[in-house]
Amino acid sequence: MYDLTVIIPTFNEAANIRKIVSEVDAVFLENSLNGEILVVDDNSPDGTTGIVNELKKTRNNLSLVVREQDHGLSQAVVEGFRLARSEIFLVMDADLSHPPALIPTMLAGIHAGNDLVIGSRYMEGGGIKKWPLKRRVISLGATFLGRLLFPEIRDPVSGFFAVKKGVVEHAPLRPKGYKILLEVLGKGNWKKVKEIPFEFVDRATGSSKLKGQTIIEYAEQVIDNARFSWNHHESAVWQEWMKLFRFGIVGLSGIIVNEGVLIYLKQYDRFSLPVASIVAIELSILSNFIWNDLWTFRSDQEHALSRRWQRLLSFQVVSIGGAIINFAILNVLATLIGFDYRLANIFGILVAFAWNFWVNRRFTWKKSE
Ligand SMILES: Nc1nc2c(ncn2[C@@H]2O[C@H](COP(=O)(O)OP(=O)(O)O)[C@@H](O)[C@H]2O)c(=O)[nH]1
Ligand SMILES: [Mg+2]
């Protein structure tokens, strides 16, 4: 049994395969890892498999699978999951875009209790080198779509990740197209994920296999994962969308609190309208905070109880920001552009709601590490 299996999908990588295998092996050696390298090739016509077979003669931790049907990157990776002889799988490209030097860090992330460790291009410290504008735009589009499903994950479509066997073992993966990580996130059985920044370096030799078809397949995959979450409420996607839903319910309850307090205070002549309104708004903010803290984001609070005052302060500031957004949009649309003020206010409320959810999700109730 190996400590981990590095799964390398290949198609026409004759120019790179020697180098990646020896670099991964060197990392194993330096870190005293008993690692397996599993090359999953789609019957490359360029001699990739011949080279791997030759390399195998001097390495007994290297295996090769040659697939002849159902050509595709995701399918190849899933075949790797099936054949790997360890409990931890690490997927990386053959073209040296993913640095083997990060393998020990990713493995340590798994040992620290994460189910998934993602090599992330889109976070501080990460990046992409030498990509043409077109590739960048496509990738950002794909990442944006992926984040609709997983708002917390900076790079849900990275091809460089480590995963515990248990996450994918019984997952009903439907591998298709390029983005196997999205499928693993959408259908795998995981709770904790960690991202590690790295700099993606575009291949120096050989050519990319990305085609127009790939983009269509990806869109289908996003829809398929959204649909899956509808029937699987334990999935990360469903849990995330439920937060948005609960946040909306709490927001509506805030309207009732606000209106109720205002009416109540106005019964007493002592309170002027501005004073009564400020008290009503503030009480609705406090009430919203309590509900969101105890209900909407309850699952993210396990280790963060001591920081409740900090969360309250953060929520308060974000809420004031939301109020200003609402106010500004209402006034700009109604006064400058001539919208009906009721419609203008609805726009203001919707944008403020989006702001409140997004910022609070990212900062006030961010998952504790
Ligand atoms: N087995 C297999 N591997 C593939 C396939 N398409 C791409 N790959 C491999 O997947 C990795 C990433 O592919 P690449 O073309 O470099 O994609 P890019 O980096 O996004 O341009 C490389 O190791 C490829 O050899 C495929 O259809 N089957
Ligand atoms: Mg590449």
Side-chain angles (χ1 to χ4, degrees), residues 24-62:
V24 171
D25 238 357
V27 168
F28 286 168
L29 201 67
E30 277 161 36
N31 296 275
S32 323
L33 291 170
N34 178 23
E36 172 186 30
I37 303 177
L38 177 54
V39 175
V40 189
D41 187 83
D42 275 5
N43 210 4
S44 302
D46 76 338
T48 305
T49 55
I51 298 173
V52 178
N53 277 321
E54 180 199 312
L55 293 171
K56 272 175 60 171
K57 290 184 190 144
T58 53
R59 291 179 166 80
N60 51 22
N61 67 337
L62 175 63

Side-chain angles (χ1 to χ4, degrees), residues 3 48 51 88 90 158 221 249 255 258 312 342 346 351:
D3 297 337
T48 305
I51 298 173
I88 298 171
L90 190 148
S158 175
Q221 197 192 352
I249 302 272
I255 295 177
N258 187 335
L312 175 58
R342 289 161 295 194
I346 297 285
V351 176

Side-chain angles (χ1 to χ4, degrees), residues 93 95 97 203:
D93 290 355
D95 57 3
S97 293
R203 59 168 66 243

Side-chain angles (χ1 to χ4, degrees), residues 108-178:
I110 296 283
H111 286 146
N114 294 289
D115 301 303
L116 257 159
V117 178
I118 300 173
S120 178
R121 299 162 296 173
Y122 298 116
M123 67 190 290
E124 216 180 303
I128 297 173
K129 253 197 190 154
K130 291 196 295 186
W131 248 12
L133 184 66
K134 187 179 150 209
R135 275 307 294 269
R136 283 177 196 270
V137 171
I138 293 174
S139 174
L140 279 176
T143 307
F144 172 78
L145 270 184
R147 284 193 200 153
L148 290 181
L149 300 182
F150 309 101
E152 246 170 356
I153 296 177
R154 313 294 301 143
D155 196 351
V157 292
S158 175
F160 188 29
F161 60 93
V163 60
K164 280 184 187 160
K165 181 180 183 177
V167 173
V168 292
E169 201 173 14
H170 303 294
L173 302 176
R174 270 179 47 188
K176 207 169 175 253
Y178 243 52

Side-chain angles (χ1 to χ4, degrees), residues 8-13 40-44 67 70-77 92-98 121 131 135 177-179 200-203 207-211:
I8 307 177
T10 55
F11 189 67
N12 287 347
E13 298 288 1
V40 189
D41 187 83
D42 275 5
N43 210 4
S44 302
R67 295 170 0 106
D70 192 24
H71 184 103
L73 173 51
S74 292
Q75 293 93 317
V77 172
M92 68 192 300
D93 290 355
D95 57 3
L96 305 156
S97 293
H98 301 147
R121 299 162 296 173
W131 248 12
R135 275 307 294 269
Y178 243 52
K179 306 299 186 188
F200 183 99
V201 185
D202 199 14
R203 59 168 66 243
S207 59
S208 168
K209 284 96 200 171
L210 183 98
K211 302 185 294 265

